[in-house]
Amino acid sequence: MGGYRISDWPRHILFFAAVPPPPFIRHVRQIWPLVGTGDRLRDKTLHMTILPVIGDDEVDPGLVRALSGALAGFSFPSFDITFDRMMTFRAKKKRPIVLRTPETDILVDQLARTVGRALTGTFPKFPKPGRVTPHVTLAYGAGFDGERLLPAPLGWRIRDIALIDSVQGEGRHIHLARWRLGTGD
């Protein structure tokens, strides 16, 4: 959405994401004063985007039902994700300050493709998912150059994914649906 003026942004952005559990969020809160940038930590909306869906001014309940129905019977094993560094993504104004994995994660890409295939059964023109850059956005701000290694790696076992409505300008996420991943344990 880099080319949009704020008044042009859709009010709601829907996406599928993995949401970290409370212990991960508590750990991020503890280390942010040590490794962070002084920008406001967005600890109420931490997530790792798996697949974007749509941006619109209103959430269509029919679309939410159709998305939920498309993933009925969805199956994928649970898996671990580990972040070991912080970096800043490029942006024109406030830059996303993110946790990153050491490299691209094949399982995250496979999860995105599996969700995408499930959606194309209901939405034949749904775009084929591209590669996922596994990250968790911590804050927005001036950022920094390069990477900062964390004092210790952070991670969690991804046991489910959620369909999320990100209400723009409010810093609020509404969880619309959730799917449990297989145990994989």
Side-chain angles (χ1 to χ4, degrees):
M1 297 191 321
Y4 287 101
R5 293 186 323 267
I6 194 145
S7 61
D8 293 339
W9 286 355
R11 175 103 169 99
H12 300 270
I13 296 178
L14 300 182
F15 58 91
F16 291 95
V19 179
F24 179 92
I25 296 168
R26 281 193 297 275
H27 199 164
V28 168
R29 285 180 186 137
Q30 290 170 349
I31 68 165
W32 184 246
L34 305 172
V35 299
T37 59
D39 295 293
R40 182 181 67 82
L41 176 64
R42 299 170 43 95
D43 57 341
K44 303 275 191 255
T45 58
L46 295 181
H47 69 277
M48 180 178 66
T49 300
I50 301 297
L51 188 65
V53 178
I54 191 170
D56 207 342
D57 289 329
E58 294 182 26
V59 175
D60 178 356
L63 175 62
V64 172
R65 281 191 302 278
L67 290 166
S68 296
L71 266 67
F74 164 78
S75 178
F76 197 87
S78 62
F79 62 96
D80 293 324
I81 187 87
T82 302
F83 303 91
D84 70 347
R85 64 199 67 214
M86 236 175 41
M87 63 184 293
T88 304
F89 286 163
R90 297 198 185 279
K92 291 187 182 191
K93 291 192 178 183
K94 291 193 175 201
R95 298 166 64 192
I97 301 154
V98 304
L99 291 176
R100 276 283 285 128
T101 57
E103 55 194 44
T104 299
D105 191 294
I106 293 168
L107 289 172
V108 176
D109 283 339
Q110 289 175 347
L111 176 58
R113 283 193 304 272
T114 301
V115 171
R117 277 193 304 273
L119 294 176
T120 57
T122 303
F123 306 97
K125 294 187 182 201
F126 193 85
K128 182 179 179 183
R131 301 227 35 168
V132 177
T133 300
H135 70 280
V136 174
T137 302
L138 302 174
Y140 289 91
F144 52 89
D145 291 328
E147 297 178 339
R148 295 180 182 174
L149 290 179
L150 299 176
L154 292 171
W156 81 89
R157 178 163 276 286
I158 298 176
R159 298 185 191 292
D160 54 29
I161 60 169
L163 175 60
I164 296 175
D165 171 12
S166 176
V167 185
Q168 300 301 289
E170 293 184 18
R172 186 167 60 104
H173 285 177
I174 301 167
H175 291 226
L176 303 171
R178 185 174 291 273
W179 294 267
R180 186 96 173 136
L181 300 184
T183 59
D185 299 326

